[in-house]
Amino acid sequence: MSYISINRILNSLKQGGFIFYTRHGEATVGRDLPYLNFKNCLTQRNLSEKGRRQAKYYGEILRYLQIPIEYPVSASPFCRTIETAQLAFGSVNVQVDPFWIEIYKLSGNLPSFERQRILSHFRSVLETIPERGRNTVIVAHGFPNEIGLGLISNMGTVIIKPDGQGNGYKVVSQLSIADWSSVDS
């Protein structure tokens, strides 16, 4: 699949109407504990120092490029996704949405009907057109290869153009954190 570079779509992004599906910043090595508790970050992998720098930079570059964001930004209940969103957009501009846990679950061994239920709801979210003149931001998790939006790097963003409920969406580009800094301003 070929993607459009950020330079080619920057003016469109400034007009709004896109969804930025962003994976959290780099997390610490290891695994979430089997008794994961969303209110206890010690049971989860958390952002590394590099991940924190990535998150701050992401917010700075979107502001520098004057890309309008619809607030609140949506984040998964994991500590690493909440912290990523808060560092990038400010604590008061983040709303936790439990649905994004479902994306995390796609990496597990789910029955086919459950996987289809999650992906159907996900498609519905991606068909939702943002507030006029703004872009929706979701900070959540990557996907298993060839499922949903596929593999996404740490702080990577998939830019989606929704066509409205029931009308689908188009993946416009997938950008790494480094791609954002290569913009000709």
Side-chain angles (χ1 to χ4, degrees):
M1 179 182 308
S2 75
Y3 293 108
I4 300 171
S5 76
I6 180 98
N7 288 316
R8 291 194 40 208
I9 62 169
L10 186 56
N11 284 335
S12 294
L13 297 177
K14 288 181 178 183
Q15 301 302 310
F18 294 88
I19 296 172
F20 294 13
Y21 183 92
T22 305
R23 184 176 178 208
H24 58 79
E26 180 186 271
T28 54
V29 177
R31 298 191 143 191
D32 297 311
L33 296 177
Y35 54 89
L36 184 136
N37 177 341
F38 292 110
K39 295 182 186 209
N40 182 352
C41 295
L42 296 176
T43 67
Q44 307 171 38
R45 290 181 8 184
N46 294 291
L47 288 184
S48 65
E49 283 306 314
K50 179 179 179 180
R52 288 185 183 94
R53 288 191 305 274
Q54 290 172 328
K56 289 176 189 172
Y57 178 74
Y58 185 73
E60 289 168 3
I61 196 73
L62 292 181
R63 286 185 290 281
Y64 172 78
L65 295 173
Q66 299 176 1
I67 296 174
I69 304 301
E70 181 179 349
Y71 294 109
V73 167
S74 182
S76 168
F78 282 78
C79 294
R80 59 185 172 268
T81 53
I82 294 169
E83 185 177 12
T84 296
Q86 289 176 338
L87 288 169
F89 302 103
S91 297
V92 298
N93 295 320
V94 176
Q95 181 175 2
V96 174
D97 183 341
F99 170 71
W100 301 116
I101 297 168
E102 304 292 316
I103 300 304
Y104 174 81
K105 289 179 182 177
L106 288 172
S107 294
N109 190 12
L110 293 177
S112 178
F113 72 89
E114 181 67 6
R115 184 177 304 271
Q116 290 310 315
R117 181 194 64 76
I118 293 168
L119 292 171
S120 176
H121 182 77
F122 180 64
R123 276 190 297 278
S124 175
V125 171
L126 296 186
E127 292 174 346
T128 304
I129 297 173
E131 175 185 316
R132 185 174 179 85
R134 302 267 177 217
N135 297 292
T136 298
V137 176
I138 300 163
V139 179
H141 309 278
F143 294 81
N145 194 25
E146 298 186 23
I147 295 177
L149 298 175
L151 299 175
I152 304 171
S153 61
N154 292 324
M155 265 341 292
T157 300
V158 179
I159 298 176
I160 296 139
K161 182 67 173 168
D163 293 326
Q165 288 301 308
N167 295 317
Y169 61 89
K170 178 182 175 197
V171 174
V172 175
S173 190
Q174 184 165 346
L175 303 169
S176 69
I177 190 75
D179 292 333
W180 287 101
S181 60
S182 68
V183 176
D184 300 328
S185 49

